[in-house]
Amino acid sequence: MPPSDFIIEPVTAETVPEYVALRHLVFAPTINKILYSKQHEPSQATMARVAADISDGLEKGIMYLLCREKATGTLVAGARWRDIKPADANARERTWEEVEKGLEMAQPYPESDVGAWNDVFGQFNAGKRDILGTRPYFVLDTLVTHPEHHRRGAGGLLIAWGCERADQKGVEAYLEASPMGQPLYARYGFEPAREMRLDMRQYGGDEVFEFVAMRRPAQGEVSR
């Protein structure tokens, strides 16, 4: 289906449950094994917390998006983008205090292994700190496509949506990808910046997860 047959819309208070359900479905074979490593399935209370956190994020200006088929309204994909910028509108870069505040970890869920949680998010935070420093950027925290709608272009539309806004502001974009997802992001100008690894066998699991931190240079910037 051509990209013109899709529509991108912001998540609203009414559509938070749709986004949460899609996220949970797509993450089930991978990320959920990290987030909910004790049992791989969150409780209703945890799912309610996820929904509440997203609703709170909407109020704070986090950009949650849905991609639907225009003709049917079928939900195909979703994403979470954030605009990381200085608190001072006149500043070109953030202070290190702002950087550290932005990297504060959320509390683990009751179903989480605290060691695994601190390991993976500690690595992600170190990547952002080391690679991006105090510079402003757009970050794609989440990209999920329904398993029945892969390779239709919806994920690419959501990637392009954030990249266009990063270019408008003249800042770089950043994300953490699986090796499988790396080629897709490369098509939009993202370059590998750091490899990361989470060995869940240390925390009672049986899998090793690999991630690639990827950076897209700011418009007009020479690749580093």
Side-chain angles (χ1 to χ4, degrees), residues 143-219:
L143 178 67
V144 287
T145 300
H146 194 287
E148 296 178 0
H149 299 285
H150 285 171
R151 302 184 184 280
R152 298 181 63 194
L157 284 179
L158 292 169
I159 298 169
W161 185 96
C163 290
E164 289 169 4
R165 282 152 182 79
D167 288 345
Q168 289 168 5
K169 300 188 79 171
V171 301
E172 58 206 287
Y174 185 87
L175 56 84
E176 292 103 7
S178 67
M180 184 180 297
Q182 186 175 347
L184 171 63
Y185 297 116
R187 293 203 292 270
Y188 292 86
F190 285 89
E191 304 165 350
R194 174 178 292 187
E195 295 181 355
M196 294 170 280
R197 188 172 185 268
L198 176 66
D199 188 345
M200 287 299 295
R201 294 172 299 184
Q202 300 178 70
Y203 308 106
D206 56 8
E207 295 184 61
V208 176
F209 293 94
E210 295 182 345
F211 303 95
V212 182
M214 303 188 73
R215 173 183 173 272
R216 182 179 183 272
Q219 188 176 43

Side-chain angles (χ1 to χ4, degrees), residues 89-196:
N90 296 315
R92 293 179 60 86
E93 296 199 359
R94 299 170 295 151
T95 65
W96 278 109
E97 182 179 359
E98 290 172 342
V99 171
E100 295 303 330
K101 183 173 179 58
L103 296 178
E104 291 177 355
M105 281 190 206
Q107 290 297 310
Y109 303 112
E111 299 86 356
S112 307
D113 181 286
V114 176
W117 180 282
N118 291 339
D119 190 344
V120 69
F121 289 111
Q123 290 189 62
F124 287 176
N125 285 348
K128 292 182 178 74
R129 185 184 296 110
D130 297 344
I131 296 165
L132 298 158
T134 58
R135 300 188 305 278
Y137 61 97
F138 267 58
V139 58
L140 178 59
D141 294 306
T142 304
L143 178 67
V144 287
T145 300
H146 194 287
E148 296 178 0
H149 299 285
H150 285 171
R151 302 184 184 280
R152 298 181 63 194
L157 284 179
L158 292 169
I159 298 169
W161 185 96
C163 290
E164 289 169 4
R165 282 152 182 79
D167 288 345
Q168 289 168 5
K169 300 188 79 171
V171 301
E172 58 206 287
Y174 185 87
L175 56 84
E176 292 103 7
S178 67
M180 184 180 297
Q182 186 175 347
L184 171 63
Y185 297 116
R187 293 203 292 270
Y188 292 86
F190 285 89
E191 304 165 350
R194 174 178 292 187
E195 295 181 355
M196 294 170 280

Side-chain angles (χ1 to χ4, degrees), residues 38-77:
K38 290 182 180 178
Q39 58 195 53
H40 296 178
E41 278 296 326
S43 66
Q44 289 185 348
T46 291
M47 290 293 282
R49 174 184 155 186
V50 171
D53 287 345
I54 292 170
S55 296
D56 183 58
L58 291 175
E59 295 182 4
K60 293 178 178 177
I62 294 176
M63 297 164 281
Y64 289 96
L65 305 170
L66 300 176
C67 184
R68 300 183 187 274
E69 291 181 349
K70 280 184 181 178
T72 66
T74 300
L75 179 58
V76 175

